[in-house]
Amino acid sequence: MHYILEQTTKSSLATTNFVGKFTQSVRRIVQDVKDEGAPSGMSREEVIETNERLRNLRIRLEESYDTAKQALITLMNKYGDSKSQRNIFQRYPMLKIMIKDVIRLETQYWALIDIPRQEKQETVPTYVMRACSIMEKTQKSGEGVKTSAKLAEEAAEKRERLERLENMTTAQIEHENNQLINDLYRLLKKYLGLRHLIRVLKEEYGSSKLYPIFPRYTMLKDMIKGIMHDPDYMEISIPLVLNTTGQS
């Protein structure tokens, strides 16, 4: 009986050792797959760092894009509302105020991220990563003092992002990075289109100050209607354009 128990115990230990070794082997294989370099040749650490940089750019870029978009949509709404005012002397200051509300963004460096256009020979990934670098430098120079609560919140969000990546292979993370780059490139194009409209509006508004009220009144209306019919604006607000086309 003692012999049988001893043999059973040895068998159980052997089985346990086998399962343990098998589990370790599986873990090693999984870890090896995770640690395997990306198709581009970047290390896992580099791919994760790139992912974090791209996501930070997206957060900042989306904020600036929404700010620019909302400013222009608000301009069109105010312009539409001003049509009920038939007195030129009363509508004229209304036009000036609504335009200044938009071009003021150009003087608020923290409101809109300043990203240059893509160079002719610059590839999409290179351009997007250059945008990351520009955003990071701008953020550091214009960043105010953060509260401990804000720092804790950002740390928790970053920890969540890194934990999600921990369950992905290096190749999967790089694939996600490539998708992020393409998405950011499209968003950059849309944002720069709106930013260009605001800059042109600022220049035209400044130049119009040389003219007396009557010609300038017409010029102010033309500035707004020029944006209204611009493809970059129409992309974000086609219904609004259709409702106001042909009206003055």
Side-chain angles (χ1 to χ4, degrees), residues 140-182:
K140 288 176 182 177
S141 61
E143 208 169 41
V145 178
K146 295 183 179 180
T147 63
S148 56
K150 181 63 176 177
L151 290 171
E153 179 186 347
E154 290 181 353
E157 290 174 351
K158 182 176 181 178
R159 188 162 54 249
E160 287 179 7
R161 292 194 298 268
L162 294 177
E163 286 175 357
R164 184 183 67 85
L165 297 180
E166 187 60 32
N167 296 320
M168 298 170 62
T169 66
T170 304
Q172 286 174 331
I173 299 173
E174 183 168 66
H175 177 74
E176 181 175 283
N177 289 353
N178 291 335
Q179 186 60 52
L180 279 170
I181 286 172
N182 291 331

Side-chain angles (χ1 to χ4, degrees), residues 41-90:
M42 295 175 68
S43 68
R44 182 174 179 82
E45 290 73 20
E46 290 172 330
V47 172
I48 290 176
E49 181 187 359
T50 299
N51 187 277
E52 184 69 10
R53 294 181 69 195
L54 291 171
R55 290 191 176 280
N56 286 334
L57 173 62
R58 186 173 68 177
I59 292 171
R60 182 74 187 281
L61 187 59
E62 284 177 345
E63 289 175 353
S64 292
Y65 175 72
D66 289 341
T67 298
K69 181 175 71 172
Q70 191 56 50
L72 292 174
I73 290 176
T74 300
L75 171 65
M76 295 307 159
N77 290 336
K78 288 181 177 179
Y79 178 72
D81 293 341
S82 73
K83 291 172 185 174
S84 61
Q85 178 55 256
R86 297 298 180 182
N87 187 312
I88 291 180
F89 293 100
Q90 292 184 352

